[in-house]
Amino acid sequence: MYKKRLKTAEFAFRDRLLLIFVGFLYLLILHFSYKYKISYEFTYMGYIYLNPPIYVIAIAWLTSLTPLLWMPVNITRPSQIIYWFLYILVVVPVSIVPAYITSDGLNSLIKISCPILISFAFMGIFYKFPLLRVKKFRIPQILFWWIFTVSVGFLYLYILRIFGSRLTMVNPLLFPEVYEIRLSAREVVAQSSIILGYLMTTISEVVNPFLISLGLYSKRIVWVIIGFGGQILMYMTTAAKGIIFSPFLLFGLFLILRKSGRKFGTKIFIVFILLVILSVLIDVVLNTNIFTSLIVRRGILTHGLLTTYYFDFFSVNPKAHLGYNRILQNYINYPYSSSPPFIIGEYYFRSPYMSANENFWAQGFADFGYFGVFFLSIIVAIILWFYDSVSKSLPLQLSALLLILPGVSLASSSFFTSMLTHNIMFLLVFIYVIPKSLGRIENEKQKDSSSYYSSPTI
């Protein structure tokens, strides 16, 4: 027994070292792509490189690698996939970018990176808590599918009636055409009903991903095709790149999670390393910057840049205190004429029309300073903990895929936008009413859900 425990501890230690090593490689690749590619081609957008001292870079890198001491090597709860994406997309850029773009990088690390790192660590503590025993809503599977099919059918008919001839298929890499379609879609939504926008995100972030995920898990290609086709249709309404690429994201994560989430951290690091390398290489060969801009700059490093701007601006200017909220604006003395994303867009990018949306930590600081950062971290952790509890009767692979699109919005949207517009709250209700039998497959050998009742290893 002692030898078995010793061997298990040895394997765990080796897995942890491997995780830290690939995390270091991820930092190395990001550093070189930023310094030698992005800072040269996107200086006009604020992506500068001020050649900070080597000790500042070392401290920034150590700060970004610190969470790997407690990050879950293996995924045992669905929300841990969001925890990982928040780390890769937000915590790492927020740890290194301030050191590159500010004259006092060490001070920026203390004021920006460390508070977010501490908040992130507090979120991780919730994975030590046992899951709640939630009594799920019981609904026959045939009734569930009948309600689901009729409701989704009416939603599609409503959207088709509104957009009609405005449906347009455009190359997602042709940015002028994409933004033209987006502006047109915003006008359509503004002229019809605000509810239309919520319904469209519900279909593209919950309904279609549900069909794709369930189809992949149950090996029913028809559901995958229906969900993929639905995403193409929704892309034709708004030209949102995330919609058209989401099926590939779901498929990739499905492959990574197929062994019950084992070594997820190492695998997802390798995927991002390859994405960054391929993006840079393709742009070098084609003499362009499209892929580097879309994947590395916009998808990863922008979170570090914008978070720095949020902390920089609202450290010396009045906090927002949610005064821009439609419900609260009549009760709060709001000192600005627009919401924080537009304030940042106008102040740093000289564009009054730019909405510089950023993660819930940045928005929390804009509203209430460091208190907002820590408080929202606890609230998000509780919501994710509740999602894990509600979904524990479903297979890990399925419940994790369902959460990815709404959950990853936390990396680029405010708390309330993620909860409402990006459907995290709706997903909680949806996962609550999904019949348990939906995740059962005949002759299924993997018993993913059995691991939910044990406390995961951090």
Side-chain angles (χ1 to χ4, degrees):
M1 181 63 71
Y2 174 75
K3 290 183 177 180
K4 185 177 181 181
R5 289 182 179 178
L6 187 64
K7 195 170 184 179
T8 301
E10 183 182 343
F11 281 134
F13 181 71
R14 188 161 48 185
D15 288 344
R16 182 67 61 182
L17 284 182
L18 178 61
L19 183 68
I20 294 173
F21 175 71
V22 293
F24 175 78
L25 289 181
Y26 177 64
L27 276 175
L28 194 66
I29 297 299
L30 275 185
H31 175 79
F32 281 106
S33 64
Y34 183 92
K35 182 177 179 180
Y36 296 106
K37 180 71 174 175
I38 292 173
S39 65
Y40 276 95
E41 301 193 15
F42 298 98
T43 302
Y44 68 98
M45 296 185 69
Y47 298 89
I48 58 177
Y49 188 77
L50 297 178
N51 289 305
I54 189 67
Y55 74 90
V56 173
I57 296 177
I59 294 174
W61 284 30
L62 285 174
T63 301
S64 64
L65 289 174
T66 299
L68 295 182
L69 297 175
W70 71 77
M71 292 289 290
V73 177
N74 306 315
I75 293 293
T76 56
R77 297 184 182 183
S79 73
Q80 286 176 324
I81 196 172
I82 302 303
Y83 196 62
W84 262 107
F85 269 83
L86 286 175
Y87 171 70
I88 289 176
L89 298 180
V90 181
V91 175
V92 170
V94 165
S95 298
I96 63 175
V97 172
Y100 298 161
I101 67 174
T102 59
S103 56
D104 190 354
L106 197 58
N107 186 53
S108 297
L109 287 172
I110 295 172
K111 291 184 176 180
I112 302 172
S113 308
C114 287
I116 291 180
L117 181 66
I118 295 171
S119 301
F120 186 69
F122 270 108
M123 291 177 65
I125 293 176
F126 278 78
Y127 292 114
K128 289 293 186 180
F129 297 164
L131 296 176
L132 301 170
R133 293 192 174 274
V134 180
K135 188 176 180 180
K136 288 199 66 173
F137 181 77
R138 292 186 177 183
I139 179 174
Q141 185 169 322
I142 189 171
L143 179 60
F144 169 83
W145 278 116
W146 187 87
I147 295 174
F148 177 85
T149 304
V150 172
S151 301
V152 173
F154 274 114
L155 287 179
Y156 270 115
L157 289 175
Y158 175 63
I159 292 172
L160 289 173
R161 186 179 69 85
I162 296 296
F163 280 89
S165 59
R166 294 185 180 91
L167 293 175
T168 307
M169 190 66 186
V170 61
N171 187 336
L173 300 180
L174 298 178
F175 297 120
E177 288 83 351
V178 165
Y179 291 124
E180 182 180 346
I181 299 298
R182 287 187 187 177
L183 290 175
S184 176
R186 289 177 185 174
E187 293 177 1
V188 171
V189 173
Q191 293 172 2
S192 55
S193 170
I194 190 174
I195 299 177
L196 176 62
Y198 289 102
L199 295 178
M200 291 169 65
T201 56
T202 300
I203 290 179
S204 61
E205 295 185 356
V206 178
V207 173
N208 291 333
F210 167 67
L211 292 173
I212 294 173
S213 302
L214 188 60
L216 289 172
Y217 180 77
S218 62
K219 300 178 182 178
R220 294 175 179 172
I221 190 65
V222 174
W223 290 355
V224 177
I225 294 174
I226 293 174
F228 200 168
Q231 289 298 73
I232 292 176
L233 182 62
M234 295 310 300
Y235 173 77
M236 293 173 68
T237 63
T238 62
K241 294 186 287 290
I243 296 177
I244 199 66
F245 293 129
S246 62
F248 303 100
L249 171 64
L250 292 171
F251 182 71
L253 290 174
F254 170 77
L255 294 178
I256 295 176
L257 290 167
R258 62 182 175 177
K259 291 186 178 180
S260 302
R262 284 184 53 79
K263 297 185 179 180
F264 177 86
T266 303
K267 294 174 183 177
I268 200 66
F269 261 138
I270 293 173
V271 169
F272 271 92
I273 289 171
L274 292 176
L275 277 176
V276 174
I277 293 175
L278 286 175
S279 300
V280 174
L281 288 179
I282 292 173
D283 280 345
V284 170
V285 172
L286 299 180
N287 193 27
T288 181
N289 60 22
I290 293 178
F291 293 95
T292 305
S293 175
L294 182 64
I295 296 174
V296 186
R297 181 193 66 83
R298 185 68 188 91
I300 302 173
L301 294 169
T302 290
H303 300 301
L305 180 76
L306 292 184
T307 302
T308 303
Y309 287 167
Y310 269 78
F311 275 72
D312 177 66
F313 182 88
F314 288 101
S315 291
V316 296
N317 292 287
K319 302 295 188 293
H321 297 133
L322 294 175
Y324 51 89
N325 185 277
R326 294 180 182 180
I327 299 175
L328 301 176
Q329 61 185 359
N330 294 326
Y331 308 97
I332 297 175
N333 183 22
Y334 189 57
Y336 306 104
S337 59
S338 56
S339 62
F342 286 99
I343 294 172
I344 298 300
E346 182 174 8
Y347 186 82
Y348 290 97
F349 299 97
R350 302 294 184 264
S351 173
Y353 305 105
M354 179 178 180
S355 178
N357 297 300
E358 200 34 62
N359 60 78
F360 70 97
W361 285 309
Q363 192 72 45
F365 185 84
D367 285 324
F368 301 106
Y370 291 114
F371 171 79
V373 174
F374 292 114
F375 180 74
L376 285 183
S377 298
I378 295 174
I379 298 300
V380 170
I382 291 174
I383 291 172
L384 294 179
W385 177 47
F386 187 71
Y387 179 87
D388 291 339
S389 301
V390 173
S391 63
K392 66 183 179 182
S393 61
L394 295 175
L396 172 63
Q397 204 173 20
L398 180 59
S399 54
L401 291 179
L402 286 176
L403 181 61
I404 185 62
L405 293 186
V408 81
S409 68
L410 290 165
S412 57
S413 302
S414 68
F415 173 78
F416 291 106
T417 301
S418 296
M419 293 299 121
L420 301 176
T421 305
H422 292 289
N423 293 286
I424 290 181
M425 298 307 294
F426 175 81
L427 180 61
L428 281 172
V429 177
F430 185 69
I431 207 80
Y432 177 70
V433 302
I434 289 180
K436 294 181 181 180
S437 58
L438 213 60
R440 296 175 190 156
I441 299 177
E442 197 173 332
N443 297 324
E444 177 63 38
K445 295 180 181 179
Q446 295 179 348
K447 298 181 180 180
D448 295 329
S449 59
S450 62
S451 62
Y452 274 45
Y453 294 96
S454 60
S455 179
T457 301
I458 301 281

